[in-house]
Structures are given as structure tokens and as C-alpha cells.
Amino acid sequence: PLERSSEDVDIIFTRLKEVKAFEKFHPNLLHQICLCGYYENLEKGITLFRQGDIGTNWYAVLAGSLDVKVSETSSYQDAVTICTLGIGTAFGESILDNTPRHATIVTRESSELLRIEQKDFKALW
């Protein structure tokens, strides 16, 4: 984010305006997100975090999809997929109160995400 030009921010802004998770955001807030967010391009099968982890990031799905897996025993081996997050969805709000993650999130396919670190998310919130 520190190396972004105003042109970079404009490109990100244009792309984010098309994402459902951001459609009701005020343009000033969206601009701030463009300044602090990180772009991640992940392959299929990547675990973003596990159930029980303390969160450090909030995410929005720009492309692809991710499985939400929950375990009764907090063991990844018996986790069951309860839903799939697609383009335009956002997740990771537990970073606001430092509660443990309620699920494990794994990329279902190649996926593009916008990641916002906890300190920036709290400031935006």
C-alpha cells in the first residue's frame, strides 16, 4: 500500500465499486480501503485460517470461492463444509473483538482476495 500511485488507487477503486461487499460503502470509505488493502491471489487448497485462531485480517472475495469448514472437535480432520463464499462476500469480522475464528476457511479454487489488516480495519470501522 505504501508504494501505490494515485493511478493504482483509481484502478483499485474502480474494481472495488463492482464488488457486492462494497456496493453500499461511501466513496470516501472505499477510497480509504484502496489505500490500506492488500491484494492476494491464492491457489486452490490454501487455508487462510483455522477454526480457533485469533483473527488478524478481514477479507473480501474479488474472484473465486472459499469453503467455510467447521469441526465439532476443533480438529481439521473432521471438519465439514457448511457453506461456500463467492465473489462479493466478506468475512473475518471477529478481528473487531479478538474472538477466535468460528470456522476454517480454505480456497475452493484459485481466488483473488482483498485483505485488510486488523489495525486498519478497526480504524476504518
Side-chain angles (χ1 to χ4, degrees):
L2 297 176
E3 299 173 5
R4 288 194 183 130
S5 68
S6 58
E7 183 178 294
D8 292 338
V9 172
D10 289 343
I11 291 168
I12 296 166
F13 185 84
T14 300
R15 177 118 187 247
L16 292 185
K17 283 194 316 187
E18 299 170 0
V19 176
K20 186 171 181 61
F22 300 112
E23 68 186 5
K24 294 183 180 176
F25 284 25
H26 189 278
N28 291 340
L29 177 58
L30 197 54
H31 181 75
Q32 291 300 312
I33 290 170
C34 294
L35 294 173
C36 69
Y38 292 84
Y39 171 81
E40 295 196 355
N41 187 0
L42 303 173
E43 296 176 5
K44 177 182 178 177
I46 302 294
T47 300
L48 266 71
F49 52 80
R50 295 192 185 281
Q51 182 176 338
D53 290 352
I54 298 299
T56 56
N57 297 291
W58 176 87
Y59 299 88
V61 183
L62 303 176
S65 60
L66 302 98
D67 286 332
V68 179
K69 299 175 177 263
V70 176
S71 168
E72 298 262 339
T73 64
S74 296
S75 167
Y76 184 70
Q77 287 75 22
D78 71 347
V80 175
T81 300
I82 59 167
C83 68
T84 300
L85 304 173
I87 297 169
T89 57
F91 59 97
E93 297 80 11
S94 69
I95 63 173
L96 286 172
D97 58 8
N98 291 323
T99 55
R101 300 288 194 181
H102 299 291
T104 298
I105 305 292
V106 180
T107 55
R108 183 181 186 97
E109 60 186 317
S110 289
S111 299
E112 297 176 27
L113 306 175
L114 173 74
R115 177 177 58 86
I116 298 179
E117 294 177 344
Q118 184 177 35
K119 65 179 174 42
D120 295 323
F121 188 79
K122 283 185 172 184
L124 294 170
W125 190 259

